[in-house]
């Protein structure tokens, strides 16, 4: 089976398009698609400093590699940031992988821990939660977003780049729908130019399975150990459901993504909860105090 882009043998077939590609042409297609997404949504501007959030997983390390390559031919700079939640036996492996990978690329790398920022590790925060209904993923996700914001401001970054892929976007949409949090759907547009601190997702139009293959074919080392808390939330079930649909109906994820963009645009225009500034930390929120500050205050109240 020959590659559609050259004379080499194809090693990957995109079922939703029928395109057959060799390893090199496949990798080039991922780089081109990422660059196109960045350009289309004006994600990075001239001479900006991009903080690439790198967890040690396949998505973030693949993004770091591609963004690093782009920075050498475009007018912007990058630094890598990693958040240490303090999960015993899990985060240490990732930190070693990221540190080594950044060293090989020659990218400056800084680590920020929950313990330093919030005086709590994730495990300590989980022990202080009021009840089990508040999932570990909910607490960790909220603290992680704030930690990334802090890290980006600390290094003077203009924009934060995360490795969220198309599958992540679909899963988040379904979670917001199931939880009744429809206001957040209006915030899912890739164009974040109006935000006080811009967060971009250059992989938002690329399937997770393609990021996995890109990582393997480019010999990118990534953490194999799954987070011990990953199955506590509903996201894993939604991922499996969407994957089963895609297996039976190729391209359905792309269709849903396009629908999400249209719905997000409509909700954004009619959103009755306008973004405000948190009076405690200055971050974007929908009330007087943001969810992160509220959560940290409640956890510390339970600590006393």
């Amino acid at each position: 089976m020959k590659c559609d882009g050259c004379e080499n043998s194809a090693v990957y077939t995109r079922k939703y398009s029928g395109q057959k590609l060799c390893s090199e042409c496949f990798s080039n297609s991922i780089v081109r698609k990422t660059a196109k997404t960045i350009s289309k949504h004006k994600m990075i501007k001239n001479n900006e400093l991009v903080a690439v959030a790198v967890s040690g997983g396949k998505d973030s390390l693949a993004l770091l590699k591609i963004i690093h390559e782009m920075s050498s031919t475009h007018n912007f700079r990058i630094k890598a940031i990693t958040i240490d939640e303090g999960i015993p036996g899990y985060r240490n492996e990732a930190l070693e992988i990221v540190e080594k990978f950044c060293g090989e690329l020659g990218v400056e790398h800084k680590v920020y821990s929950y313990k330093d920022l919030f005086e709590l590790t994730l495990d300590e925060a989980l022990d202080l939660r009021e009840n089990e209904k508040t999932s570990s993923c909910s607490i960790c996700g909220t603290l992680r977003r704030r930690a990334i914001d802090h890290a980006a401001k600390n290094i003077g970054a203009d924009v934060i780049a995360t490795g969220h892929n198309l599958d992540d976007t679909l899963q988040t949409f379904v979670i917001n729908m199931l939880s009744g949090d429809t206001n957040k759907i209006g915030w899912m547009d890739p164009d974040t130019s109006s935000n006080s601190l811009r967060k971009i997702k250059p992989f938002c139009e690329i399937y997770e399975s393609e990021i996995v293959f890109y990582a393997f074919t480019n010999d990118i080392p990534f953490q194999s150990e799954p987070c011990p808390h990953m199955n506590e939330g509903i996201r894993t079930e939604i991922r499996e459901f969407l994957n089963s649909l895609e297996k039976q109906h190729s391209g359905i994820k792309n269709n849903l993504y396009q629908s999400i963009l249209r719905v997000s645009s409509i909700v954004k225009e009619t959103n009755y909860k306008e973004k405000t500034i948190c009076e405690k930390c200055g971050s974007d929120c929908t009330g007087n105090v943001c969810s992160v500050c509220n959560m940290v205050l409640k956890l510390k109240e339970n600590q006393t």
Side-chain angles (χ1 to χ4, degrees), residues 74-107:
H74 293 73
N75 187 26
F76 66 87
R77 297 157 290 130
I78 70 168
K79 290 183 182 180
I81 56 173
T82 299
I83 307 304
D84 179 5
E85 312 92 343
I87 303 174
Y90 168 70
R91 183 49 65 194
N92 289 346
E93 179 196 8
L95 290 174
E96 290 176 8
I97 291 171
V98 174
E99 191 65 44
K100 183 179 179 182
F101 195 66
C102 287
E104 291 171 355
L105 295 178
V107 174

Side-chain angles (χ1 to χ4, degrees), residues 6-293:
C6 68
E7 295 299 311
N8 294 327
S9 296
V11 296
Y12 190 91
T13 300
R14 286 193 169 112
K15 291 185 178 180
Y16 59 82
S17 67
Q19 192 177 29
K20 301 173 182 64
L21 298 168
C22 69
S23 179
E24 184 177 357
C25 287
F26 172 83
S27 293
N28 289 338
S29 75
I30 296 298
V31 173
R32 285 196 303 271
K33 194 163 188 176
T34 303
K36 184 178 179 181
T37 299
I38 290 173
S39 176
K40 179 168 60 176
H41 299 294
K42 299 180 177 63
M43 291 181 171
I44 303 174
K45 300 172 185 175
N46 282 334
N47 203 34
E48 286 192 317
L49 174 60
V50 180
V52 184
V54 188
S55 66
K58 62 189 183 314
D59 303 287
S60 62
L61 287 169
L63 178 65
L64 180 62
K65 174 178 168 58
I66 292 174
I67 290 284
H68 173 255
E69 290 173 359
M70 290 180 63
S71 69
S72 65
T73 56
H74 293 73
N75 187 26
F76 66 87
R77 297 157 290 130
I78 70 168
K79 290 183 182 180
I81 56 173
T82 299
I83 307 304
D84 179 5
E85 312 92 343
I87 303 174
Y90 168 70
R91 183 49 65 194
N92 289 346
E93 179 196 8
L95 290 174
E96 290 176 8
I97 291 171
V98 174
E99 191 65 44
K100 183 179 179 182
F101 195 66
C102 287
E104 291 171 355
L105 295 178
V107 174
E108 185 179 331
H109 174 231
K110 290 192 73 173
V111 179
Y112 298 82
S113 71
Y114 282 5
K115 190 69 173 179
D116 290 339
L117 296 175
F118 310 115
E119 300 177 354
L120 292 166
T121 65
L122 177 61
D123 283 9
E124 289 170 344
L126 295 180
D127 289 339
L128 294 171
R129 60 183 165 181
E130 292 178 335
N131 55 66
E132 296 295 323
K133 288 184 178 179
T134 306
S135 71
S136 55
C137 290
S138 174
I139 292 175
C140 186
T142 302
L143 297 180
R144 175 180 291 278
R145 285 190 292 274
R146 175 51 47 80
I148 290 174
D149 288 355
H150 170 84
K153 290 175 182 176
N154 181 256
I155 65 173
D158 302 289
V159 59
I160 300 167
T162 62
H164 292 91
N165 53 54
L166 182 142
D167 292 61
D168 293 322
T169 302
L170 305 189
Q171 293 157 21
T172 299
F173 173 77
V174 175
I175 288 171
N176 288 336
M177 290 293 286
L178 294 176
S179 64
D181 200 349
T182 53
N183 286 292
K184 285 183 180 176
I185 293 168
W187 300 357
M188 296 185 73
D189 194 306
D191 182 358
T192 60
S193 57
S194 62
N195 292 8
S196 56
L197 180 60
R198 288 177 13 248
K199 297 179 181 179
I200 63 172
K201 301 172 183 178
F203 284 166
C204 65
E205 298 181 358
I206 302 175
Y207 279 28
E208 181 180 26
S209 57
E210 296 196 356
I211 302 298
V212 172
F213 191 77
Y214 177 87
F216 276 118
T217 198
N218 284 276
D219 296 318
I220 297 175
F222 57 87
Q223 185 172 26
S224 55
E225 186 72 21
C227 174
H229 303 291
M230 69 173 289
N231 291 322
E232 291 180 26
I234 197 174
R235 186 176 289 270
T236 298
E237 296 172 66
I238 294 171
R239 176 188 287 110
E240 292 171 353
F241 169 67
L242 292 172
N243 284 341
S244 67
L245 283 178
E246 180 69 25
K247 188 176 181 180
Q248 298 297 322
H249 310 278
S250 296
I252 202 166
K253 287 182 182 179
N254 275 324
N255 294 342
L256 179 56
Y257 179 73
Q258 294 304 319
S259 297
I260 289 171
L261 293 185
R262 290 192 288 271
V263 171
S264 177
S265 174
I266 295 169
V267 174
K268 189 176 183 180
E269 292 177 3
T270 60
N271 207 329
Y272 62 88
K273 281 191 177 181
E274 295 295 330
K275 284 188 181 181
T276 58
I277 301 298
C278 174
E279 60 188 31
K280 290 188 175 294
C281 68
S283 299
D284 291 329
C285 65
T286 58
N288 294 327
V289 180
C290 71
S291 60
V292 182
C293 289

